[in-house]
Amino acid sequence: MRIPIKRKNLNLNADSKRVIARFFVLSEERTLNLVKSILALGEEVVDDLLNQILRDFAMRHRSITSIYQSNYKRVQWAVKKLLGEKRISQEMQLLIGAYFTNEYSIEAAAFFNPSIVEAPEQSGLEEGQKRVIVSLRATGEGHISSIVFRYVVIDANNDLYLMPAARRVEVTDVVKDFLYKKSSFVSKLEEMELPKHIYQDVMKRLPERFNYTELMQARTAVLKTLPDGSPYVDDVEKLIWLGDSHHDLHFSMDTDLSERVIFPISDFESRGIEDARFVKFTDDDGQVLYFATYCAYNGTTIMPKLIQTRDFYNFKIRPLHGHGAQNKNLALFPRRIKGKFVMFSRIDGVNSYLMTSEKITIWEHPILFQRPKHPWELVQIGNCGSPIETDKGWLMLTHGVGPMRRYSLGACLLDLDDPSKEIGRLTYPLLMPNEMEREGYVPNVVYSCGALINNGELIVPYAMSDYASSFMTVPVNSLIDKIMDDTRKENEKGVKKNKRKKTVKAENNGQ
């Protein structure tokens, strides 16, 4: 029998009007031909066309002219090839930039896999209210996923109120000022299984610590040594993908949270950023940081990565290393245990693993923790976000996949001092997709990337077949009691089964 839950009457729905302006990529030949055609336009046509474009698009983006200017610089090589050093007007530059810009609707296809954390800033609220940040996986054309955010306010009765989302969306500049350590860089290249002689040729040209510019210079030097058509060119470029995976993002202080989007920036993320699991992390010295694990995906390769922020304006993004940092489904505990970071993973795509580390970016020696056990989770089991600390143990939401690839949510309780010890586990799902939730982008799926406890209830944001997200609540003590009751009954059943086996074996021996 399943424990009663309460579905909240609040849905987070995708808004196809929320668009970003991206660089419009064309082949070298098409770029040259298009720039040549634009340059042939008369001055009056250029002015009229640019004014029309600005009227149509200026209200849809922050500083659209800056975007046009940036995209013009990316094709400036074509202008120089056609005109040499001849200067062109500012209006012509902006018009060329506009032709090489297109809008992308980041939420048009799906809006799902939410996580929830207490917001760093809690001012201006009424008594009993709490402001939380919900992160979501937004997916647009071509199944390209990004991370977006919304504010939600929870009142004393645990009713939820969604704050209005801003009309505009901002993709900020990427800062690549990271100093790479050669040993760590090589370790990740080995995990990527690149040809050893290729990356060694690049690495030997670099000091023990190097920056992005030095990496690019070494890459260019090695490319010059390869013959035309060499199959190793792509492998050299993958070194840059790894370099791109270390970066910082800085959003303007005058942006609303809902305006900030973390969008794929490298070939390693070309198919999207998947399933960010945010957690409010308190270190042993009391310092509070927000971390999120996510998967960068390029269509074939998964690279687990880590986001770090204090304020949701400034983000550090780094790859995760080690045998345990493989596949999807990584979730960090909200504090250290016995001086070490603790993480769940699912390195084989089926079972749940636990691992500890002294460095938050390096994860080795994963230990098998949970296998699929019940019929509704036999295909695979995994976490649904970071465990939550209670006085009775770590409360962790799980997901299970059963017949017809139906996803359901479960829960388990772990020992506070040794989370490798499972105290108890639900026998039946906590949440299954109902008739209103089973149709969508990916049918028959409910899924969460993190929950929190407020006023004695577990508040769980969850995706509904990926088309939208909603919320459910359940009293924490009732859930823990149900976990313990289910576990007691399972243990009693196991004892009776063992007794029957022993009886049958004794009877057979007697015969």
Side-chain angles (χ1 to χ4, degrees), residues 44 93 177 335 419 444:
E44 184 175 337
Q93 292 180 23
D177 59 357
R335 65 170 173 84
N444 304 307

Short mmCIF file of all heavy atoms in Angstrom, two decimals, residues 44 93 177 335 419 444:
data_model
loop_
_atom_site.label_atom_id
_atom_site.label_comp_id
_atom_site.label_asym_id
_atom_site.label_seq_id
_atom_site.Cartn_x
_atom_site.Cartn_y
_atom_site.Cartn_z
N GLU A 44 21.32 53.53 -48.14
CA GLU A 44 19.95 53.79 -47.72
C GLU A 44 19.23 52.50 -47.36
O GLU A 44 18.50 52.43 -46.36
CB GLU A 44 19.19 54.51 -48.84
CG GLU A 44 17.78 54.92 -48.45
CD GLU A 44 17.10 55.73 -49.53
OE1 GLU A 44 17.79 56.34 -50.38
OE2 GLU A 44 15.85 55.75 -49.54
N GLN A 93 28.26 46.98 -40.12
CA GLN A 93 28.73 45.93 -39.21
C GLN A 93 27.55 45.32 -38.46
O GLN A 93 27.45 44.09 -38.33
CB GLN A 93 29.73 46.52 -38.21
CG GLN A 93 31.05 46.95 -38.82
CD GLN A 93 31.99 47.52 -37.78
OE1 GLN A 93 31.89 47.26 -36.59
NE2 GLN A 93 32.94 48.34 -38.24
N ASP A 177 39.58 31.57 -17.78
CA ASP A 177 40.85 31.98 -17.18
C ASP A 177 41.38 30.92 -16.22
O ASP A 177 42.19 31.19 -15.36
CB ASP A 177 40.69 33.30 -16.45
CG ASP A 177 39.64 33.26 -15.34
OD1 ASP A 177 39.00 32.20 -15.18
OD2 ASP A 177 39.48 34.27 -14.63
N ARG A 335 26.69 18.10 3.11
CA ARG A 335 27.82 18.40 4.01
C ARG A 335 28.80 17.24 3.94
O ARG A 335 28.51 16.17 3.41
CB ARG A 335 27.35 18.61 5.46
CG ARG A 335 26.74 17.39 6.13
CD ARG A 335 26.54 17.63 7.61
NE ARG A 335 25.82 16.56 8.30
CZ ARG A 335 26.38 15.45 8.77
NH1 ARG A 335 27.68 15.23 8.60
NH2 ARG A 335 25.64 14.54 9.40
N PRO A 419 26.39 6.51 5.63
CA PRO A 419 25.28 6.42 4.67
C PRO A 419 25.33 5.21 3.76
O PRO A 419 24.40 4.99 2.98
CB PRO A 419 25.41 7.73 3.87
CG PRO A 419 26.82 8.16 4.05
CD PRO A 419 27.23 7.70 5.40
N ASN A 444 4.90 8.68 -19.49
CA ASN A 444 4.96 7.77 -18.33
C ASN A 444 6.15 8.01 -17.42
O ASN A 444 6.72 7.06 -16.86
CB ASN A 444 4.96 6.30 -18.81
CG ASN A 444 3.77 5.99 -19.69
OD1 ASN A 444 2.63 6.25 -19.32
ND2 ASN A 444 4.04 5.48 -20.88
#
